[in-house]
Amino acid sequence: MPNGLRALEAIRPDLKAALLPHHCEHEVTKSYDASGAPNASINASGRARLREHGELVYVPWHRLQSTLAAALPQGVLHTNHRFLGFTEGANGVVAEFETPQGVQKVEAALLLGANGGQSAVREALLADGPPQFLGMAIWRAVRPVPSDWPEVYATYGGLGKAFITSMLKDGETAWQGFAPWSADELDVIGGGRRAYIHNGASDAELAGLDGTQRSREQVGAERIKRCLEAFEGWPQHVRDLVATTDPLAVTEHGQFCREADNCQTYARGRVALVGDAAHLATPFLGQGSSQAIEDGLELGRAVGQHGFSPDALAAYQEVRLPAASEVQRWSVQLCRQCTSGKMDKSEFDVNIEQGFVKRQHAPLHPALAVPTP
Ligand SMILES: Cc1cc2nc3c(=O)[nH]c(=O)nc-3n(C[C@H](O)[C@H](O)[C@H](O)COP(=O)(O)OP(=O)(O)OC[C@H]3O[C@@H](n4cnc5c(N)ncnc54)[C@H](O)[C@@H]3O)c2cc1C
């Protein structure tokens, strides 16, 4: 969103520049109902209205992540480290990670939990339980575009149940299907309470509900089967797109959120929450990444002003809590309206009327650049 891009530019102008080549144009939008009959498209005009407030850039999640990762100094990013817990002392935090080499302890001045909607840092800090399941399953994949695929960007269905395809670069397309899913069956999909599983099956799925060990291919094939069952009777080319996807490419999970009123702590002592860990919303405003980037900017500003201290985290919370809460409130509300079939405002209207896409961000002054701890 324009506000997120401006925040990225405020952090470091070259970050925005590095992202732009990954933009996938979505100008041509086609909209159909669940039977494949054309609908009037609202998206093209909605996007044009958003663009009045700045640039609108569509970048696949993995490209955003790898672009930001590439901008980090060498040696600071350690993948394959699963956060387990932390202890806080007067002058710092010791965090524990499970790694391929065993459990490792890391000492630091601050701990920032930017680990998504199912954040283990949040659980360790606030112990406020898992997020709320919204009664919806989501299947997604990135795959090569079939040679006879007719669309550039298309949405099928509508409120409560939808299938969306987006053209990416390099001959790839992304598809996502949203469908109602019973809370009683939550442990059947995507290993249960896991919001983002990008590399195929989780340990829980491989172990199987009945304890029978399965391969990653089997888990992927079962996800495709469930997706096809959810979209039974939908246009054949949509079903074929799902059926011919590499099973290892398919992600599957429930849609979760938290109410803004239950997310009124972003920081405590030397530990802070960032992005979805702090304010998990729903995909309905398209603001998730932009809000996470705004958090990063204000965290940088606060650490620049107060050093690596609890004061910095308190200052970060003071700025970001009211701003991110407002987005979260509207996002959850829109999702509720959508699943109940009564959406009286579009995501475009809310983003513009509430001023989310109009937000401006002062650049991080070089004198406020984050000091080395
Ligand atoms: C279906 C769907 C569509 C969406 N569409 C959009 C959209 O169009 N635009 C938009 O802006 N947002 C969208 N969002 C929301 C967006 O994806 C999130 O808001 C955004 O990714 C949040 O960033 P984050 O860094 O806080 O968390 P994440 O992107 O979830 O990243 C968290 C990271 O933490 C890691 N992690 C998790 N647990 C641990 C652990 N214990 N130890 C170590 N690491 C861990 C994860 O592997 C991951 O890399 C969508 C979300 C969904 C579900």
Side-chain angles (χ1 to χ4, degrees):
M1 287 289 176
N3 51 304
L5 273 179
R6 282 192 290 268
L8 203 55
E9 198 170 20
I11 294 171
R12 260 178 48 183
D14 62 309
L15 294 179
K16 180 184 152 192
L19 204 57
L20 294 181
H22 299 298
H23 168 59
C24 304
E25 191 52 67
H26 280 169
E27 247 358 288
V28 182
T29 302
K30 294 191 178 170
S31 177
Y32 303 91
D33 68 16
S35 72
N39 278 332
S41 166
I42 56 159
N43 292 341
S45 64
R47 284 199 203 105
R49 285 193 289 130
L50 286 182
R51 283 204 167 97
E52 289 169 15
H53 305 284
E55 283 168 281
L56 196 59
V57 166
Y58 288 84
V59 179
W61 191 93
H62 60 287
R63 290 271 177 252
L64 172 59
Q65 197 185 44
S66 55
T67 302
L68 296 181
L72 290 171
Q74 288 281 317
V76 302
L77 180 64
H78 304 273
T79 55
N80 255 327
H81 280 53
R82 187 201 297 257
F83 171 83
L84 297 174
F86 75 90
T87 49
E88 187 174 347
N91 300 313
V93 186
V94 177
E96 279 197 11
F97 296 88
E98 183 190 321
T99 79
Q101 290 75 43
V103 173
Q104 286 188 6
K105 291 188 177 186
V106 178
E107 261 186 88
L110 301 177
L111 170 66
L112 309 175
N115 55 346
Q118 309 285 339
S119 170
V121 177
R122 182 186 186 96
E123 189 51 29
L125 182 69
L126 303 178
D128 61 349
Q132 185 185 347
F133 177 55
L134 286 169
M136 191 183 283
I138 303 172
W139 294 268
R140 294 186 281 177
V142 172
R143 56 155 294 163
V145 191
S147 56
D148 56 350
W149 180 252
E151 316 293 3
V152 175
Y153 178 94
T155 64
Y156 296 82
L159 301 181
K161 189 167 178 179
F163 194 92
I164 302 170
T165 63
S166 319
M167 194 62 82
L168 307 182
K169 298 223 152 136
D170 305 322
E172 289 190 315
T173 185
W175 61 257
Q176 46 187 314
F178 299 75
W181 194 264
S182 158
D184 299 339
E185 299 276 295
L186 182 53
D187 56 353
V188 173
I189 52 168
R193 294 194 168 275
R194 284 164 198 271
Y196 298 102
I197 309 280
H198 286 280
N199 60 348
S202 64
D203 292 345
E205 289 173 283
L206 291 170
L209 288 177
D210 58 0
T212 315
Q213 194 70 23
R214 282 141 347 127
S215 68
R216 290 183 184 278
E217 286 78 6
Q218 280 172 308
V219 168
E222 287 167 18
R223 291 174 173 185
I224 288 177
K225 183 166 173 276
R226 284 189 286 273
C227 180
L228 288 172
E229 282 167 6
F231 291 93
E232 183 79 54
W234 282 48
Q236 193 57 41
H237 63 285
V238 166
R239 292 174 54 76
D240 288 347
L241 191 71
V242 175
T244 58
T245 298
D246 175 357
L248 295 181
V250 182
T251 66
E252 177 189 54
H253 57 80
Q255 179 63 53
F256 300 89
C257 77
R258 288 186 192 271
E259 300 285 350
D261 287 349
N262 298 331
C263 295
Q264 294 299 299
T265 304
Y266 292 1
R268 186 177 282 168
R270 292 184 170 273
V271 183
L273 305 170
V274 177
D276 280 5
H279 39 73
L280 177 65
T282 74
F284 279 78
L285 281 177
Q287 277 283 353
S289 308
S290 296
Q291 291 309 298
I293 294 168
E294 288 187 11
D295 286 352
L297 169 65
E298 295 309 331
L299 199 45
R301 207 186 307 281
V303 171
Q305 282 168 339
H306 301 277
F308 286 88
S309 65
D311 285 352
L313 302 189
Y316 153 73
Q317 168 167 304
E318 197 176 321
V319 174
R320 284 301 296 152
L321 203 150
S325 279
E326 208 43 31
V327 175
Q328 187 182 15
R329 249 180 219 111
W330 274 100
S331 169
V332 171
Q333 190 172 318
L334 270 194
C335 180
R336 292 244 153 79
Q337 289 181 359
C338 180
T339 46
S340 67
K342 290 186 214 115
M343 207 164 160
D344 52 16
K345 278 186 195 297
S346 75
E347 63 187 270
F348 310 108
D349 293 332
V350 174
N351 264 310
I352 294 166
E353 286 171 17
Q354 298 304 314
F356 302 148
V357 290
K358 300 178 193 172
R359 287 181 183 167
Q360 303 289 333
H361 306 286
L364 274 184
H365 191 278
L368 293 181
V370 177
T372 307

